[in-house]
Amino acid sequence: MSVVTVPVAPSAVRPSRRRPFGRQPRDWVRVGLWIALLVAVLIWAVPLIFMVFTSLKSEPDIFGTPAFVPPWNPEWGNYVEALDRGNLLTAGGNSLIIALVKVPLGLFLSAAAAFALSRLRFKRQRLLMGVIAMGAMVPIQVAIAPLFQVINGLGLLSTHIGVILPYLAFGLPYQTFILYGFFRQIPEEIDESARMDGAGNWRLFLTIILPLAKPALAALFILDFVATWNEYSIGLALLQSQESWTIPLALQGFQSQFTSSYGPLNAFTIMSMLPVLIVYLMFQRYFVEGAFAGAVKG
Amino acid sequence: MTATAAPARRAHPSPVRKRAARVTRTGFVAALPFLAPALAAYAVFVVGPMVESIRLSFFEWSGFQGAPQEFVGIRNYVRIFTQDPVFWTAFSNTLVWVVLSLFIPLGLGLVMALALNRPLFGRNAFRSIFYIPGVLAPIAIANMWRWMYNPNYGVGQTLADLLNAPWLGEIQWLGDKNLALYSIFAAFVWQIAGTNMVLFLAGLQGVTPEHIEAAKLDGANAWQVFRNVTWPALRPTTVVVLVLTIINSIKVFDLIVGMTGGGPAQQTQVLALWSFQQSFGNHEYGMGNAIATVLLVVTLVIVVPYMVWTARQEKNS
């Protein structure tokens, strides 16, 4: 655990390793490694390439040309068709609303809980943290049927709020756990001097601890946005009407309805991934730090 | 706690007194406003349903509101263990999945990390391509791979033409009951190997070039450096990756729903999906929740020792 205390993006570390002798053989090893990596990356990209190619081919081309012949005459109509038939915009709107409410609210609640667990003192504190952390490791499917009954009892099936509440609850354990670890690294002296200036718990939390936790919060925000956008099984149980579907449900719905419209289906899949890919490309380093935070505290 | 009653209080210099006063205010009561919303949500939507799931596993119920719940004792468990042929398939598939994922995506992630932990042309692009599948929705990945596995127009057919090996084109990747599980598992490897790579890369930052340099000066070859310097430094990371991998394997659901739905002939069922289908598809809430309870027990058997271990490590450090 002591190995990993300060988040550093691996890409930021560029050790200048130079061997004092034997440059020549080492270079050949490196070239070999590089070629092996290139081949591996190309293989890794096959599913993505195949999907993009198919999404741009007309039906006769899909059935008539080999998988890896590029679409020389791109058929953008697949995208139009996917948008038209697939309910994509409604689902995208639902997913966006749910993510934009759930993610900040969930982070705030987790941060407050982590603050109480790490900076205030009361009995059985660590046990409580353990009980909460446990929730991060238990599969959702263990609770999903009774969860359906709870939401049904509240009359919230197929509503935004009805899926936001369980998303909040299932996101809390992991985020609280990570923030707990982060808060504990902030020196106690900061609290003491703030308290001597007369700050109460809320002011300490809102004006001192939260701002100090910005890097962790940013990383968790990004990771949680992606996780919320991609969530499928809770949505499958709780969102019954088509108008309330999120993106993953709409994708699966499209797949089962238009099984053999391969062009539009792949276009739909690509469009469903775009927000997450954009977020990834914009905030790449947070993914590394977020994964890293997870690695520190598990 | 007794500070308020101490008669000598006035004698204390004021900063100390102030701090003492604050300490009395930081009991559970002071913590409650911070904890309450999170605890309430956790209790109502996570812990409550889990407990309810255990309770319902002793009842027979269709799941419809108003329908009677009939107490049947352990009959649901007897049924899933002795009369439900799918349960054991699902159980062993879950087990196979966990065991395979301890070797394949974990090993691949480690190899990727070791290869990409040095200055190389295009290193960041390589890392990104390996990692990107990890941010995609599993259900989207399922759709991509389902299309790749298409027996007529998928990648297999193209490879068959390319390599002039017709047998390759005849493989029913998702239709063959002995093969389907492994075909789905390939998509899982593709999905999580990059995430493991990032975790290992993070762990590798603890191995300083100086350590390696020193080992090399002592005459260690590449394997000895890995065995004696890199690997021990990676041990904490490896434990984390192991536990995350196990948890993710037990949870596998979306990929299977999206690629086979458990078929052909229930040969790709796993516990998480079979529980869901018993409850929602077959309206066997008792059976579904009994399977969910088995899943819970399996998870706890793995998770609790890990948490005890972490707590002990934390105490030692």
Side-chain angles (χ1 to χ4, degrees):
Chain A
M1 295 287 146
S2 59
V3 184
V4 277
T5 39
V6 184
V8 181
S11 56
V13 182
R14 221 171 242 275
S16 55
R17 265 177 284 165
R18 278 280 138 84
R19 258 167 58 130
F21 51 86
R23 299 265 326 144
Q24 208 59 28
R26 195 187 158 100
D27 272 349
W28 283 113
V29 170
R30 194 171 283 188
V31 167
L33 174 74
W34 194 84
I35 291 171
L37 271 171
L38 187 70
V39 172
V41 158
L42 285 177
I43 293 173
W44 220 250
V46 160
L48 295 169
I49 295 170
F50 188 40
M51 173 179 64
V52 173
F53 281 7
T54 309
S55 79
L56 291 169
K57 283 184 184 177
S58 64
E59 202 141 279
D61 274 353
I62 292 173
F63 297 139
T65 61
F68 294 108
V69 172
W72 299 118
N73 305 306
E75 170 67 51
W76 295 99
N78 287 334
Y79 285 80
V80 178
E81 207 178 325
L83 275 173
D84 240 24
R85 289 197 293 182
N87 224 358
L88 188 77
L89 294 178
T90 319
N94 289 335
S95 279
L96 206 62
I97 292 170
I98 289 166
L100 289 182
V101 174
K102 188 268 161 179
V103 178
L105 191 60
L107 268 181
F108 184 79
L109 296 185
S110 307
F115 171 78
L117 289 164
S118 64
R119 314 297 289 185
L120 305 178
R121 246 164 267 145
F122 53 90
K123 280 183 190 166
R124 304 255 180 278
Q125 209 166 9
R126 306 195 88 188
L127 183 72
L128 187 58
M129 185 65 250
V131 170
I132 293 176
M134 200 90 85
M137 308 190 184
V138 176
I140 301 159
Q141 287 83 12
V142 163
I144 213 158
L147 180 66
F148 171 85
Q149 298 297 338
V150 172
I151 300 295
N152 192 16
L154 293 170
L156 292 175
L157 285 183
S158 302
T159 61
H160 289 150
I161 182 86
V163 77
I164 286 172
L165 286 171
Y167 279 3
L168 272 177
F170 278 95
L172 284 169
Y174 177 73
Q175 295 173 350
T176 307
F177 192 44
I178 298 295
L179 288 169
Y180 170 82
F182 197 88
F183 289 168
R184 271 165 51 109
Q185 289 166 20
I186 300 173
E188 288 276 340
E189 291 77 40
I190 290 183
D191 294 29
E192 279 170 28
S193 65
R195 289 192 191 286
M196 275 185 213
D197 291 342
N201 287 338
W202 281 104
R203 227 176 85 198
L204 177 65
F205 171 59
L206 291 172
T207 65
I208 296 174
I209 301 293
L210 266 191
L212 280 174
K214 247 183 219 158
L217 289 171
L220 285 176
F221 190 99
I222 302 298
L223 286 180
D224 196 34
F225 177 83
V226 171
T228 307
W229 187 271
N230 290 343
E231 204 289 328
Y232 179 68
S233 52
I234 295 181
L236 180 63
L238 301 181
L239 299 174
Q240 313 256 314
S241 80
Q242 198 169 334
E243 293 75 48
S244 69
W245 279 359
T246 53
I247 285 282
L249 293 172
L251 174 59
Q252 193 54 20
F254 191 90
Q255 196 275 126
S256 46
Q257 207 179 341
F258 306 106
T259 312
S260 52
S261 312
Y262 298 113
L265 176 60
N266 281 284
F268 195 110
T269 311
I270 289 174
M271 286 190 282
S272 80
M273 290 171 174
L274 279 182
V276 160
L277 281 178
I278 291 169
V279 165
Y280 169 72
L281 291 173
M282 281 170 69
F283 301 104
Q284 242 187 70
R285 81 192 173 91
Y286 290 117
F287 281 88
V288 176
E289 282 172 13
F292 203 57
V296 182
K297 296 290 171 186
Chain B
M1 299 297 145
T2 52
T4 44
R9 218 175 99 187
R10 277 167 184 256
H12 282 289
S14 78
V16 175
R17 204 190 74 200
K18 242 185 189 167
R19 201 191 302 169
R22 289 290 175 205
V23 168
T24 57
R25 274 215 239 153
T26 59
F28 186 70
V29 177
L32 205 57
F34 293 91
L35 280 172
L39 285 185
Y42 187 56
V44 174
F45 298 108
V46 181
V47 179
M50 271 176 204
V51 174
E52 176 72 355
S53 170
I54 297 170
R55 186 185 74 82
L56 282 173
S57 72
F58 298 105
F59 285 80
E60 194 172 312
W61 187 33
S62 65
F64 294 114
Q65 285 199 320
Q69 297 181 0
E70 189 197 336
F71 181 79
V72 294
I74 59 162
R75 212 174 71 199
N76 288 324
Y77 290 95
V78 173
R79 275 176 74 194
I80 60 172
F81 289 140
T82 61
Q83 292 159 31
D84 178 359
V86 181
F87 173 81
W88 287 111
T89 313
F91 189 89
S92 81
N93 283 345
T94 301
L95 215 63
V96 165
W97 197 283
V98 169
V99 172
L100 281 181
S101 64
L102 290 181
F103 294 99
I104 299 170
L106 199 126
L108 262 177
L110 179 60
V111 170
M112 288 169 177
L114 289 170
L116 288 170
N117 189 41
R118 64 189 80 204
L120 270 181
F121 177 70
R123 181 172 73 166
N124 283 342
F126 287 165
R127 283 181 180 177
S128 282
I129 290 173
F130 285 138
Y131 182 65
I132 277 176
V135 301
L136 303 178
I139 202 78
I141 292 177
N143 274 300
M144 287 162 69
W145 281 71
R146 191 190 163 104
W147 170 228
M148 278 215 314
Y149 284 139
N150 186 299
N152 299 321
Y153 313 109
V155 172
Q157 191 55 52
T158 300
L159 280 180
D161 295 344
L162 208 69
L163 304 173
N164 204 10
W167 59 273
L168 255 176
E170 281 157 26
I171 298 175
Q172 299 286 324
W173 298 98
L174 296 173
D176 181 327
K177 63 185 173 57
N178 296 318
L179 186 64
L181 187 75
Y182 303 98
S183 301
I184 306 174
F185 185 77
F188 180 71
V189 172
W190 187 73
Q191 184 200 340
I192 71 159
T195 310
N196 291 344
M197 171 196 76
V198 169
L199 292 169
F200 278 123
L201 276 171
L204 280 173
Q205 303 318 305
V207 188
T208 60
E210 288 75 30
H211 285 149
I212 292 175
E213 216 55 50
K216 277 183 184 159
L217 285 178
D218 287 343
N221 61 29
W223 167 248
Q224 285 168 325
V225 169
F226 176 76
R227 182 73 191 72
N228 298 312
V229 181
T230 314
W231 183 241
L234 277 181
R235 205 171 295 149
T237 314
T238 310
V239 173
V240 171
V241 177
L242 273 175
V243 172
L244 287 180
T245 304
I246 293 174
I247 293 169
N248 285 330
S249 310
I250 295 176
K251 281 180 182 169
V252 160
F253 180 90
D254 306 11
L255 280 179
I256 294 174
V257 173
M259 288 169 82
T260 61
Q266 308 287 19
Q267 288 306 300
T268 57
Q269 276 292 355
V270 289
L271 288 178
L273 178 58
W274 185 231
S275 160
F276 190 97
Q277 289 186 346
Q278 283 284 29
S279 291
F280 291 105
N282 305 340
H283 294 286
E284 291 272 12
Y285 254 61
M287 301 266 279
N289 283 302
I291 298 163
T293 305
V294 171
L295 188 61
L296 179 66
V297 170
V298 170
T299 312
L300 291 182
V301 163
I302 294 162
V303 164
V304 170
Y306 166 69
M307 294 199 48
V308 171
W309 179 81
T310 330
R312 216 173 273 162
Q313 289 265 313
E314 217 170 292
K315 235 176 227 172
N316 290 346
S317 66

